[in-house]
């Protein structure tokens, strides 16, 4: 019997769960949850590059915005996502945006589930 490989969506879900669970234990967990709720809409309305630039500009180092940048890059399997988004050609940028949207949705779901009010 052949081993069943997880789908890309299952991989996203598992990685997002791990990242959101780790963030739930941080002092900025509530802020992380709020930012994760906004992330898919921000990418959709402003575009991937502008959304990433916003988080870079607002991040003060070890905070929820920095964590979201790291988590989005990890879940999407795109290390250096912010640089890649700025330098990609149109087709690659569209692919990265679709991937980031899918990953942002999983981060949002798990942040809502794991970060307690």
């Amino acid at each position: 019997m052949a081993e069943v490989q997880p789908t890309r969506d299952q991989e996203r879900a598992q990685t997002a769960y791990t990242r959101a669970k780790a963030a739930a234990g941080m002092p900025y967990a509530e802020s992380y949850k709020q930012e994760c709720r906004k992330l898919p809409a921000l990418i959709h309305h402003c575009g991937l590059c502008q959304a990433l630039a916003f988080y870079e500009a607002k991040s003060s180092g070890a905070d929820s915005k920095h964590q979201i940048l790291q988590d989005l890059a990890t879940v999407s399997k795109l290390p250096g996502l912010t640089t890649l988004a700025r330098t990609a050609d149109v087709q690659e940028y569209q692919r990265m945006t679709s991937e980031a949207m899918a990953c942002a949705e999983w981060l949002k779901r798990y942040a809502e589930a794991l970060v307690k009010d």
Side-chain angles (χ1 to χ4, degrees), residues 35-113:
E35 293 299 331
C36 282
R37 283 180 171 159
K38 298 176 196 174
L39 183 58
L42 187 63
I43 294 169
H44 179 75
H45 293 294
C46 299
L48 178 60
C49 208
Q50 285 185 346
L52 295 173
F54 169 79
Y55 282 109
E56 280 185 316
K58 298 296 182 181
S59 174
S60 63
D63 63 0
S64 62
K65 290 173 179 65
H66 180 74
Q67 187 69 45
I68 285 174
L69 284 171
Q70 289 182 325
D71 290 354
L72 192 57
T74 301
V75 176
S76 66
K77 295 185 178 183
L78 294 168
L81 178 59
T82 54
T83 301
L84 290 171
R86 286 191 297 264
T87 59
D89 63 34
V90 174
Q91 288 180 328
E92 182 62 16
Y93 182 77
Q94 289 174 334
R95 189 194 69 74
M96 288 181 354
T97 299
S98 294
E99 181 65 22
M101 283 293 292
C103 296
E105 287 293 338
W106 279 112
L107 286 168
K108 175 184 171 183
R109 286 180 191 138
Y110 283 123
E112 288 176 334

